[in-house]
Amino acid sequence: MLIYLQNGLNKVNIMSNIALITGLTGNFTKLNPVDEGLLQHSFVYTTNKTQEFKEEAISKGWNIKYLNHLEHTENLPLASIQSKDVKFCKFDFDDPEPLIDHYDYILYADHKFIFTKEQVNILLDNFDNECVCAVGQQGSNVFEEFFSATAYQRYIDCMGEMRRNIDHYVEIKGWEYCSSRTTPMANMSYILWNTKHPNFQTFIKDLQQEQAEYKHPECQILFTLFMKQRQHEIQ
């Protein structure tokens, strides 16, 4: 379910120009086939430059774009942090043929998910074009998400940075800002970007600065704390 912060006004046409993207860094290797209806418009961004991966990706219908500004690593926390460059569109500013020049909308989906053309059209049909992006939601708050993260080693290794991220917002915004469920917790498995929104570039730049400040891979905490300040721009 999407986080609805407006009432579905100014919906976009379901046939709008959209690209599907995913990212694979480090030893993350799972890549699902592209839906037939999304062929030619699906891109995998990766640090893996092996011929084996290239052949697999192409056989599954993906166009490959390499994250040349990143070094391939087997360090799981670092690879997880690198993957956020794809999720938060940092890749596009280093790309000689950036997708934002060719597509009005970019749908990021985690590499383990499969999206069909019909599902993409439903997302677009319900998207409010006054928003910069739309994300999923889940029924928890920042503190609950923090403790849930202890089940994953890549998050345990970065607990100090996660705590610093949360403590900063507790200090400047107050405890309620982090504990409230008034704004749902973001589920970052997918995010729909409106690249032609007048605030898109500024929003992305500010989000990337937040990412650079708090070097941890728990993007659901990072994005939720960030988005609470800009609710009017997110659906």
Side-chain angles (χ1 to χ4, degrees), residues 73-137:
T73 178
E74 296 298 321
N75 179 292
L76 187 56
L78 177 57
S80 189
I81 291 173
Q82 287 180 340
S83 70
K84 306 308 178 284
D85 280 9
V86 183
K87 186 171 293 191
F88 298 151
C89 294
K90 186 175 182 178
F91 63 87
D92 236 32
F93 303 116
D94 298 318
D95 191 335
E97 295 184 4
L99 296 186
I100 58 174
D101 288 350
H102 303 284
Y103 291 96
D104 297 334
Y105 303 92
I106 294 176
L107 174 61
Y108 167 86
D110 280 353
H111 61 97
K112 58 184 176 290
F113 285 84
I114 299 175
F115 269 91
T116 66
K117 182 179 180 180
E118 289 73 23
Q119 290 171 319
V120 171
N121 283 342
I122 289 172
L123 287 177
L124 286 174
D125 191 36
N126 288 279
F127 181 67
D128 187 335
N129 212 31
E130 289 188 350
C131 295
V132 175
C133 64
V135 297
Q137 70 175 41

Side-chain angles (χ1 to χ4, degrees), residues 39-217:
L39 290 174
Q40 309 304 320
H41 304 288
S42 297
F43 302 84
V44 55
Y45 285 80
T46 184
T47 55
N48 187 341
K49 296 184 178 181
T50 64
Q51 185 65 25
E52 180 183 6
F53 176 78
K54 179 180 179 180
E55 291 176 358
E56 178 188 0
I58 292 174
S59 72
K60 292 181 175 179
W62 294 93
N63 297 286
I64 301 175
K65 284 183 174 283
Y66 293 111
L67 297 165
N68 292 316
H69 66 292
L70 298 174
E71 295 218 4
H72 188 68
T73 178
E74 296 298 321
N75 179 292
L76 187 56
L78 177 57
S80 189
I81 291 173
Q82 287 180 340
S83 70
K84 306 308 178 284
D85 280 9
V86 183
K87 186 171 293 191
F88 298 151
C89 294
K90 186 175 182 178
F91 63 87
D92 236 32
F93 303 116
D94 298 318
D95 191 335
E97 295 184 4
L99 296 186
I100 58 174
D101 288 350
H102 303 284
Y103 291 96
D104 297 334
Y105 303 92
I106 294 176
L107 174 61
Y108 167 86
D110 280 353
H111 61 97
K112 58 184 176 290
F113 285 84
I114 299 175
F115 269 91
T116 66
K117 182 179 180 180
E118 289 73 23
Q119 290 171 319
V120 171
N121 283 342
I122 289 172
L123 287 177
L124 286 174
D125 191 36
N126 288 279
F127 181 67
D128 187 335
N129 212 31
E130 289 188 350
C131 295
V132 175
C133 64
V135 297
Q137 70 175 41
Q138 56 182 331
S140 61
N141 63 31
V142 169
F143 297 114
E144 291 168 332
E145 181 67 20
F146 176 83
F147 287 110
S148 295
T150 60
Y152 302 92
Q153 187 61 47
R154 67 182 182 274
Y155 297 144
I156 293 174
D157 292 344
C158 300
M159 279 292 174
E161 280 296 287
M162 290 165 58
R163 179 66 185 270
R164 189 171 72 88
N165 191 181
I166 296 171
D167 286 348
H168 169 74
Y169 279 94
V170 169
E171 180 179 354
I172 66 172
K173 298 288 188 179
W175 182 270
E176 179 66 18
Y177 184 86
C178 299
S179 62
S180 172
R181 295 192 184 192
T182 302
T183 301
M185 189 79 191
N187 182 335
M188 300 300 291
S189 297
Y190 67 89
I191 180 166
L192 179 61
W193 292 106
N194 178 4
T195 67
K196 297 302 184 275
H197 192 285
N199 294 339
F200 172 73
Q201 298 280 7
T202 301
F203 187 99
I204 287 292
K205 182 178 179 181
D206 292 346
L207 180 57
Q208 290 169 1
Q209 288 178 343
E210 190 92 347
Q211 177 193 8
E213 174 65 25
Y214 302 107
K215 296 178 176 62
H216 66 80

